[in-house]
Amino acid sequence: MAGRGPEPLHEINSPRYDPLDLMPQLPANGLNTLSLFSGGGGLDLGFDRAGFTHEGSWELLPFAGDTLRAARPEWNVHSGLEDGDVRNKDWRPFRGNVALIHGGPPCQPFSSAGKQRGAADPRDMWPEFVRAVLEVKPEAFLAENVAALASNTFKDYVQQTILEPLGRHYTITPVILQAHEHGVPQMRRRVFFFGFRNKKVAGRWDAPRPRFRKPGSKANGLPETIGVRNALGLSDLGFDDISPTIRSGLSGPRHTTSILSSVSAQRRFAALEVWPNGVAANRDAARAFVAKNGHFRLSVPDVALLQGFPEDWPFQGAVYMQIGQIGNSVAPPVGYSVAASIAEAFSR
Ligand SMILES: C[S@@+](CC[C@H](N)C(=O)[O-])C[C@H]1O[C@@H](n2cnc3c(N)ncnc32)[C@H](O)[C@@H]1O
């Protein structure tokens, strides 16, 4: 890093993709939101760009709260062990004053990369999300999680913990969305639970439709999602593709700065000639710290782009904390598609 290693092999890259183009700012729609489990703000950003008014965010990790405050100083952000913990919050004062609650409760209890202990896992926060919705009774809610939650393994859990208590007041539809179908150069399947209190609004809602198709897939009238190399502004190898799923952060080996989620992900990155370990804080450091195999070393702003954040989203904390916030997030353009579909149902 101090110039004693091998000479840099790559120029500083200039990205050719701006995720904000996937999220044109929509006019204010008059609907306000509470955000639970806000992390570094993937869903918050998607709802913001889709015209919703941010009423408040709650997040346990202080550095993630710092990210939100740095990104949007005017937001009302509660973070840290006391103020940010949703378990400490009485939501009833918000009743009648909030249009929508959104949140992505921690996915580790359900992730196929973990032990899948569901309700037996102390990190299971779904009951807290449900409590907030029942106390506030917003017009709508939106909750996100790993696609495994929609699998047979958790059928009873979903029925008892989510659908039964909330289904008495809301029309609920789970939808699985794939990030690259919304323009993000990454394979990332997640389930989204849409809930509407008013049946007419529920009837007017349409699930978000794919906006893009995978590179190299059959033409279907949709534009192709940009590939990793093109997105990051790397040289043309005559081959490009989307990124494998970026690992969910802050849950694996301590302080990891790798974004690898599987062995097959390693092979895909190798084919792209991208080095997914030891992500650097910035592009200068990534260039100076040559990867063993000479492949392109990623930096935090590059990983942010692959997740659909603008490259200057001000993630706070050490590099592993920044990577963790990115890997934990809803890809903002997916959050935007989700939010825009809800806004549309209320506007008709
Ligand atoms: C999957 S991440 C959510 C990411 C976010 N939806 C986004 O799009 O960026 C889950 C978040 O819940 C937070 N969390 C876990 N337990 C919490 C609690 N009791 N109160 C508040 N936040 C909590 C974690 O710190 C983590 O940042």
Side-chain angles (χ1 to χ4, degrees):
M1 292 281 250
R4 289 188 296 274
E7 278 301 300
L9 296 173
H10 307 280
E11 292 310 310
I12 299 275
N13 55 312
S14 298
R16 300 192 192 102
Y17 137 90
D18 182 352
L20 290 180
D21 295 341
L22 301 169
M23 306 181 269
Q25 181 68 54
L26 298 180
N29 57 32
L31 302 168
N32 60 347
T33 60
L34 295 184
S35 161
L36 275 60
F37 315 105
S38 314
L43 262 184
D44 290 36
L45 174 58
F47 273 86
D48 181 53
R49 299 282 295 180
F52 287 75
T53 304
H54 184 271
E55 199 67 46
S57 279
W58 279 262
E59 165 56 50
L60 204 53
L61 299 171
F63 53 85
D66 292 342
T67 300
L68 299 174
R69 277 183 282 267
R72 295 284 188 276
E74 70 281 12
W75 280 1
N76 173 18
V77 177
H78 302 262
S79 61
L81 291 178
E82 284 293 318
D83 195 30
D85 192 335
V86 300
R87 289 170 293 187
N88 298 336
K89 187 74 192 158
D90 177 1
W91 303 103
R92 288 170 297 183
F94 288 108
R95 186 177 280 208
N97 302 321
V98 167
L100 180 137
I101 296 185
H102 66 72
C107 57
Q108 290 85 357
F110 313 102
S111 169
S112 49
K115 296 198 175 102
Q116 298 201 308
R117 290 168 66 207
D121 191 316
R123 292 168 298 188
D124 178 21
M125 288 291 142
W126 271 96
E128 284 296 326
F129 184 84
V130 168
R131 179 176 69 85
V133 173
L134 292 178
E135 287 185 7
V136 177
K137 293 270 181 64
E139 293 300 321
F141 70 82
L142 182 278
E144 175 266 354
N145 221 274
V146 283
L149 186 63
S151 70
N152 245 340
T153 314
F154 294 113
K155 198 163 167 248
D156 292 345
Y157 174 88
V158 167
Q159 186 60 33
Q160 285 158 20
T161 314
I162 306 171
L163 302 182
E164 269 171 25
L166 293 180
R168 289 187 210 121
H169 311 276
Y170 291 85
T171 305
I172 305 173
T173 315
V175 179
I176 291 183
L177 298 176
Q178 174 60 272
H180 64 73
E181 293 185 340
H182 297 268
V184 179
Q186 187 190 145
M187 195 101 78
R188 190 176 188 87
R189 283 174 82 238
R190 290 294 184 262
V191 63
F192 293 82
F193 291 85
F194 292 80
F196 293 96
R197 202 145 66 93
N198 181 308
K199 287 202 164 46
K200 278 195 189 137
V201 178
R204 290 198 292 256
W205 170 75
D206 289 321
R209 293 204 184 82
R211 298 196 268 153
F212 288 80
R213 68 184 165 88
K214 228 168 147 185
S217 62
K218 228 170 82 193
N220 62 0
L222 296 177
E224 255 191 19
T225 305
I226 193 166
V228 167
R229 292 195 64 90
N230 194 10
L232 298 183
L234 308 183
S235 60
D236 186 1
L237 297 178
F239 158 81
D240 206 353
D241 204 351
I242 56 176
S243 161
T245 307
I246 291 175
R247 61 174 293 144
S248 285
L250 303 168
S251 57
R254 272 173 74 79
H255 299 186
T256 183
T257 52
S258 166
I259 60 166
L260 271 185
S261 55
S262 65
V263 174
S264 63
Q266 185 148 23
R267 280 195 291 270
R268 189 184 274 253
F269 276 122
L272 285 164
E273 300 193 11
V274 168
W275 180 248
N277 304 305
V279 172
N282 54 56
R283 296 202 171 103
D284 286 330
R287 176 171 182 269
F289 187 21
V290 176
K292 267 199 306 233
N293 59 5
H295 288 175
F296 175 78
R297 183 182 297 278
L298 292 164
S299 60
V300 171
D302 293 327
V303 179
L305 285 177
L306 297 183
Q307 184 77 0
F309 280 93
E311 64 173 23
D312 59 357
W313 192 252
F315 291 106
Q316 303 290 302
V319 170
Y320 81 91
M321 296 170 177
Q322 300 189 36
I323 296 294
Q325 291 170 69
I326 296 173
N328 263 345
S329 69
V330 171
V334 177
Y336 178 87
S337 295
V338 159
S341 80
I342 296 172
E344 174 79 26
F346 280 101
S347 73
R348 287 186 197 165

